[in-house]
Amino acid sequence: MRIKINESQELFDQAAAKVIADCIRKKPAATIGLATGHTPKGMYEALVQLYQDNQVDFSMVKVLNLDEYLGVDLNNPGTCMSYLTERFYKHVNLSKSNIHFFNSEADDYEEECRRYDRHIEMVGGIDLLILGIGYNGHLGFNEPGTKFDTTVHVEKLTDITRTANTWSFGEKDKVPTHGITLGMKNIMHAGKLMLMVNGKKKAGILHEAIYGEVTEALPASVVQLHNDLVLVVDADAAAEIDNIGK
Ligand code: F6R
């Protein structure tokens, strides 16, 4: 595990954007899985800036969304797809055909899961997967208790997650009850993981995830078993972790 501790939000955003840019420089046709949420907002801005400064070229890059809410129109501003389109996709030279996303209103969700799994296989796997951590230790929409051998699947969202994500939909009641997500196995099969964590409120769960027992009760603890994990944190989230590899 490599830990990058950043003293400011700006450095945090830039450090995370650099991990993505470095991956693309090394492999211009890389496949990158992308999380949404509060945590990576500034990172996407920093990445767009790198693109505008001609520091990174997305023309051959393939991206796929890590998760999505179910039962809402993809154009709803609260969806992961809208988030990524508005903050990232529409500002860079990604080819439309290289943006892979969930059909949030599929007739058959089981088939949609298998379609996504097949896509990951078809592109040769995920080279770099960007993750955040939920207050309950979730990864993607893999809520506590999710089996480590799951592939793409539908999850019932916990109350904690729906409350935390109220900002996306304006009101908690409007936050969908279910999501579709890469499973724990898909996550562990990614070539490299970047876990981004910021803010004091995440310090406790982060500490538990990286130093505690590896358990399905705390999905993020699985990252301890990944052999290429980069943890990008800010000083607040790092409050309870050893300052190694700064
Ligand atoms: C979002 C996702 C979630 C978030 C996590 C942290 O696509 O997969 O697992 O990464 O809920 O969210 P924030 O960053 O809003 O605290």
Side-chain angles (χ1 to χ4, degrees):
M1 184 193 324
R2 277 190 302 139
I3 305 185
K4 298 186 179 193
I5 299 177
N6 304 279
E7 295 305 327
S8 69
Q9 179 67 40
E10 199 184 348
L11 291 174
F12 171 82
D13 298 336
Q14 286 170 355
K18 184 175 182 303
V19 171
I20 297 184
D22 286 348
C23 164
I24 296 168
R25 285 181 201 123
K26 225 163 114 188
K27 184 173 177 185
T31 296
I32 304 178
L34 298 170
T36 62
H38 281 303
T39 311
K41 280 180 183 168
M43 183 273 285
Y44 288 117
E45 267 177 41
L47 207 48
V48 169
Q49 190 61 52
L50 285 178
Y51 166 71
Q52 287 170 350
D53 294 343
N54 292 318
Q55 300 293 309
V56 62
D57 173 18
F58 294 95
S59 58
M60 291 197 284
V61 172
K62 296 183 270 301
V63 290
L64 56 89
N65 298 3
L66 165 66
D67 46 14
E68 188 55 271
Y69 297 96
L70 286 185
V72 276
D73 188 321
L74 271 188
N75 294 314
N76 182 311
T79 62
C80 299
M81 187 56 183
S82 292
Y83 173 112
L84 287 165
T85 303
E86 290 306 314
R87 294 172 191 278
F88 181 39
Y89 297 158
K90 75 178 192 190
H91 303 289
V92 298
N93 65 334
L94 276 162
S95 155
K96 270 200 172 142
S97 59
N98 284 338
I99 300 174
H100 193 68
F101 52 93
F102 292 104
N103 177 358
S104 55
E105 296 184 296
D107 291 332
D108 181 344
Y109 287 140
E110 193 45 44
E111 174 45 32
E112 179 62 5
C113 293
R114 300 295 68 82
R115 181 186 73 89
Y116 222 82
D117 275 326
R118 284 196 299 273
H119 176 79
I120 294 170
E121 211 180 309
M122 193 189 78
V123 296
I126 299 168
D127 295 296
L128 171 64
L129 180 58
I130 315 308
L131 298 167
I133 184 171
Y135 292 108
N136 59 2
H138 73 209
L139 280 186
F141 278 148
N142 293 280
E143 298 284 27
T146 305
K147 299 272 174 243
F148 282 162
D149 64 357
T150 47
T151 54
V152 177
H153 65 284
V154 169
E155 278 271 335
K156 185 172 183 340
L157 303 180
T158 60
D159 199 56
I160 295 177
T161 299
R162 292 185 67 230
T163 304
N165 293 355
T166 299
W167 63 275
S168 303
F169 290 90
E171 288 168 45
K172 185 180 165 195
D173 285 351
K174 292 192 176 150
V175 180
T177 54
H178 289 74
I180 187 166
T181 182
L182 294 196
M184 299 302 287
K185 194 166 161 185
N186 303 111
I187 290 174
M188 288 304 284
H189 279 183
K192 183 186 191 80
L193 299 180
M194 173 166 71
L195 178 60
M196 298 177 65
V197 192
N198 63 2
K200 275 195 186 74
K201 287 200 243 165
K202 297 265 179 84
I205 195 73
L206 174 63
H207 181 271
E208 224 185 302
I210 63 171
Y211 296 122
E213 184 195 348
V214 176
T215 166
E216 288 169 349
L218 203 168
S221 63
V222 81
V223 302
Q224 293 181 40
L225 305 178
H226 198 282
N227 61 14
D228 192 356
L229 166 71
V230 52
L231 179 58
V232 177
V233 289
D234 73 350
D236 286 338
E240 296 186 28
I241 61 176
D242 297 338
N243 192 354
I244 45 174
K246 189 170 176 178

